[in-house]
Amino acid sequence: MQSTRRGLAFILAIYMFAAPVCSMARERESVMLAAADYLAALTKNPHTAVTGGEWLVIGLARSGAPCGEHASNYYQNLCSHLRERGGILSASKYTEYSRAALALTAIGADASNVAGFDLTKPLGDIEKVAAQGCNGPIFALLALDCGNYFAAEGVREELVARILSCQSEEGGFCAAPGTKADVDITAMALCALAEYTQDAAVRAAQERALEFLSNNQLAGGGFEGAYGESAESCAQVLIALAALGISAQDERFVKDSYTPIDALLACYVPGEGFSRIAGGQTDPMTSEQALCALAAYKRFENGESAFYDMKDAVVIYGGESTFGLNNRSERINFVPLLYPGKSFEDIQTIAARESIEALAARGIISGRSAGVFDGEGGITRAEFAVIMTRALGIATENECAFSDVHPNSWYSNSVAAAHSAGLITGVTEKLFCPNDMVTRAQGAVILARAASLCGLETDFTDSAVRDVLSQFEDYTTVESWARKALAFCFESGIMEQSAMEIGADLPLERCQSAQMVYELMRLARLL
C-alpha cells in the first residue's frame, strides 16, 4: 500500500513540476470540483451531522461549487431540528454549535438568529465549551470569528488561553493538557489562532507548532495522526498553512521532494472523492475534509479571505432554484435577514416569541415603540397589508385604488401592492378603511389568499370544511365567506386549534398575526 501511494504521488509530482504553475492550479481545481460533485450527489439533503452535514455544506460553499439546493435543504433541516429540540443541539458537545455556526455563516446565514435561536450564545460558556478538551475552544473561537459574532468581554481571550494551555513541550497541541501532541489538533489550533498572530505569545506558539508539524511530516509529504497516516491529517495541515499564508512548497514542508498537496492528491480516487490512504476506497468523511483543504488552498493562492474567514460569504441558501414552492407566484420574493438578533422587551416569556423575532429580523414586523411589541394589541388593515407584502417579498406599487388611502401615507404603496396581488379587497369598491381592526376571520382569509400565491393547496370541499370546523362550539356562527379559509388555516397549522371556539369576529392580536404569518412562511419555504 505504501509503494502504491508513493508511486501515485511520484506520477502526480512529475506532472505537476513539469507543468506551469497555472496548470497545476487548474489540475487541483479540477480534482476539487470532481470531489464536490461526488459529495453533492452522495448527500442531497444534508442535516446536522459530522458527515453529510456541516462539513459538506462548508466545503461546497467555500470552494465555490454549486450548492444552492444543499444550502437551502441544510438550513431548512436545521431550523426544523432546532424547533423540535427547543434550540438545543447538544447538552454536552458544544462543538455541535460551533460546526453549525460555521456552516450557516458559510452560506450567508446569521448563526445568531436561526429559527429564532442564537447558536453562538452557548459558545460563551467557557467551561462547557472546554469540556470536550482542546477541540471545544478551537472550534468555538473559529465559529465566533468566522462571522465576527458578538461574545461577552473576555470570552475570546479566554478561548485563546485555553488553546495555548494545550500546547505540549514538543510544540504540538494535544486533546488536553498533559496528553500526547497530535498533528490534526495542532493544525486546527493553528487555524483558530491565525487571527491572533499580533499577540507575541500566540506568535511564539505558532512557530513551535509549525516546527512540530515539519518534524512530524513523513517522507512522502503526508502526516500521521492519532489513527495513522491519512489524507485527513494532510487536509488539516493544508488548511492551517493556507490560514497562515504559508505555501505548501515552503521548504519546511517538502520532504523527499513531496509536499502535503502531493500526499493528499495521492489519495484521490478519479471521478469520485478521496480515500484515507492511497489506493483505498473512497471515504465520505475524508472526501469532505479534502474538499475543504483544496478550497482553502485555492483561496490562499487566489488572494481571497482564509477558509474560516467568512465575512465575504454571500447568501446562497434559499436561492432562485430552491426558494419557495415550485408553483409559487412570480411576485413572491426571498426576504433576507436585515436586523439579526432583533427582539422586544415584552415578548421574552410568550409562546410566539420565536415567530415575532424571526419576522422582526427580516424587517417584516416592528414594535409599537422602542423595545415594545404589544402582542395583545390589535392590528389594523393597513398594518396587516404592510406585513403581508413584506413577508411575501411583493414589490410595492404607486397607484392605489382606494380613495381613503392617502398617497403619502406610510402604507399606501403596500396596500396598492397587496390589492393588485389579490391579497386584500376594500370594504367597498373605493374604501379600504385602513384603520379598522382585522378580525380573526379576515386574517384567515388574507392568509389563505397568500398561501395560494405561495403555491399551497387551499381549496376545501364543503364536507372537508365541516370536518375541520365542526369541532369548534361556534362553528355555525361563522359566515360562509370565511369558512374555507378558516378550515385551511386550522388544518395546515397556521392557526392554533387549542381553544374550543374559533372567535371569528374577535380582533386578531399582533402576536397571533405574527404566529400565523410565520407558520405560512415556514410551510411555503420562505424562511
Side-chain angles (χ1 to χ4, degrees):
M1 192 68 73
Q2 177 73 4
S3 61
T4 301
R5 185 184 67 77
R6 292 293 298 276
L8 285 170
F10 180 70
I11 293 171
L12 284 166
I14 291 176
Y15 173 80
M16 286 187 159
F17 282 110
V21 171
C22 62
S23 178
M24 293 190 298
R26 284 198 299 270
E27 174 70 13
R28 288 196 298 273
E29 183 161 7
S30 177
V31 170
M32 179 186 75
L33 293 177
D37 287 343
Y38 164 78
L39 289 166
L42 190 66
T43 306
K44 294 186 177 181
N45 191 34
H47 56 279
T48 181
V50 175
T51 306
E54 284 82 9
W55 291 116
L56 168 63
V57 173
I58 295 168
L60 292 175
R62 298 305 277 168
S63 68
C67 65
E69 180 179 2
H70 291 76
S72 184
N73 288 344
Y74 169 75
Y75 187 82
Q76 296 293 339
N77 288 336
L78 179 61
C79 286
S80 297
H81 184 70
L82 288 169
R83 292 187 193 104
E84 291 170 3
R85 299 170 60 91
I88 298 175
L89 289 178
S90 175
S92 56
K93 292 179 61 178
Y94 274 34
T95 49
E96 298 286 311
Y97 294 99
S98 299
R99 201 173 65 235
L102 287 166
L104 289 163
T105 311
I107 62 175
D110 178 11
S112 69
N113 193 331
V114 190
F117 299 105
D118 184 353
L119 300 189
T120 67
K121 186 175 181 179
L123 303 181
D125 189 332
I126 300 294
E127 296 309 318
K128 287 188 177 179
V129 164
Q132 284 181 257
C134 198
N135 265 0
I138 285 172
F139 281 100
L141 193 59
L142 285 171
L144 289 172
D145 287 346
C146 74
N148 197 27
Y149 290 109
F150 169 80
E153 185 177 353
V155 166
R156 282 178 165 85
E157 291 79 1
E158 181 61 23
L159 290 172
V160 168
R162 294 289 180 121
I163 295 170
L164 293 178
S165 72
C166 292
Q167 190 167 31
S168 67
E169 290 184 5
E170 52 188 329
F173 287 83
C174 42
T179 60
K180 184 179 179 181
D182 176 73
V183 165
D184 294 50
I185 294 176
T186 300
M188 291 185 287
L190 284 173
C191 288
L193 296 172
E195 292 281 324
Y196 301 87
T197 304
Q198 73 280 2
D199 183 278
V202 170
R203 194 162 55 250
Q206 289 170 332
E207 290 302 321
R208 293 178 60 214
L210 288 168
E211 184 179 0
F212 169 82
L213 291 178
S214 177
N215 291 340
N216 282 272
Q217 189 177 16
L218 302 173
F223 296 87
E224 187 172 352
Y227 301 99
E229 183 178 359
S230 73
E232 292 169 21
S233 295
C234 275
Q236 294 301 332
V237 172
L238 276 173
I239 297 172
L241 293 179
L244 294 171
I246 299 173
S247 170
Q249 272 135 30
D250 183 289
E251 62 181 7
R252 291 171 291 181
F253 296 98
V254 179
K255 300 294 188 295
D256 286 357
S257 77
Y258 294 111
T259 71
I261 285 182
D262 297 324
L264 180 65
L265 292 178
C267 295
Y268 175 58
V269 179
E272 295 185 11
F274 287 76
S275 58
R276 293 193 76 252
I277 58 174
Q281 301 270 327
T282 306
D283 179 75
M285 180 182 289
T286 303
S287 299
E288 289 176 2
Q289 296 305 309
L291 171 62
C292 291
L294 292 174
Y297 203 73
K298 172 194 169 186
R299 299 182 69 84
F300 160 68
E301 286 190 312
N302 291 346
E304 299 176 88
S305 65
F307 184 74
Y308 288 116
D309 182 2
M310 299 174 182
K311 301 176 191 70
D312 63 338
V314 296
V315 176
I316 54 177
Y317 68 99
E320 191 61 31
S321 61
T322 57
F323 164 72
L325 303 176
N326 291 334
N327 56 337
R328 72 187 184 279
S329 165
E330 292 182 356
R331 304 192 66 164
I332 307 296
N333 294 290
F334 178 70
V335 183
L337 286 169
L338 300 174
Y339 311 105
K342 178 71 174 176
S343 189
F344 304 96
E345 297 171 2
D346 58 341
I347 69 168
Q348 301 306 307
T349 59
I350 67 173
R353 174 184 173 181
E354 175 186 336
S355 305
I356 294 168
E357 290 180 338
L359 299 187
R362 290 165 173 80
I364 296 170
I365 59 174
S366 57
R368 287 289 194 206
S369 61
V372 177
F373 182 69
D374 185 23
E376 295 182 355
I379 186 165
T380 67
R381 287 167 56 80
E383 289 172 329
F384 206 51
V386 171
I387 288 173
M388 293 309 303
T389 53
R390 288 176 178 173
L392 302 185
I394 296 175
T396 57
E397 298 181 8
N398 295 325
E399 298 296 326
C400 188
F402 304 110
S403 60
D404 59 346
V405 175
H406 194 280
N408 294 329
S409 62
W410 60 270
Y411 50 81
S412 174
N413 293 345
S414 293
V415 170
H419 182 244
S420 74
L423 292 177
I424 61 171
T425 59
V427 174
T428 68
E429 185 177 345
K430 289 297 183 180
L431 296 179
F432 179 65
C433 298
N435 295 318
D436 284 3
M437 292 296 171
V438 177
T439 67
R440 285 170 57 82
Q442 292 168 348
V445 169
I446 294 172
L447 265 293
R449 291 170 183 162
S452 183
L453 281 179
C454 292
L456 292 164
E457 178 56 58
T458 61
D459 194 26
F460 275 57
T461 64
D462 290 342
S463 61
V465 170
R466 282 194 301 272
D467 287 343
V468 175
L469 299 185
S470 60
Q471 62 184 300
F472 299 102
E473 295 176 353
D474 58 347
Y475 158 56
T476 57
T477 67
V478 177
E479 295 190 55
S480 59
W481 56 266
R483 289 183 179 181
K484 281 189 178 181
L486 284 164
F488 163 73
C489 287
F490 280 121
E491 183 67 14
S492 64
I494 289 176
M495 295 182 80
E496 291 185 350
Q497 302 185 41
S498 56
M500 295 301 294
E501 294 183 346
I502 297 171
D505 295 329
L506 294 175
L508 184 66
E509 294 180 353
R510 284 168 55 81
C511 61
Q512 292 171 342
S513 67
Q515 185 70 44
M516 291 167 66
V517 172
Y518 174 80
E519 289 301 330
L520 169 64
M521 294 182 72
R522 185 183 63 79
L523 288 171
R525 298 194 69 179
L526 305 186
L527 291 171

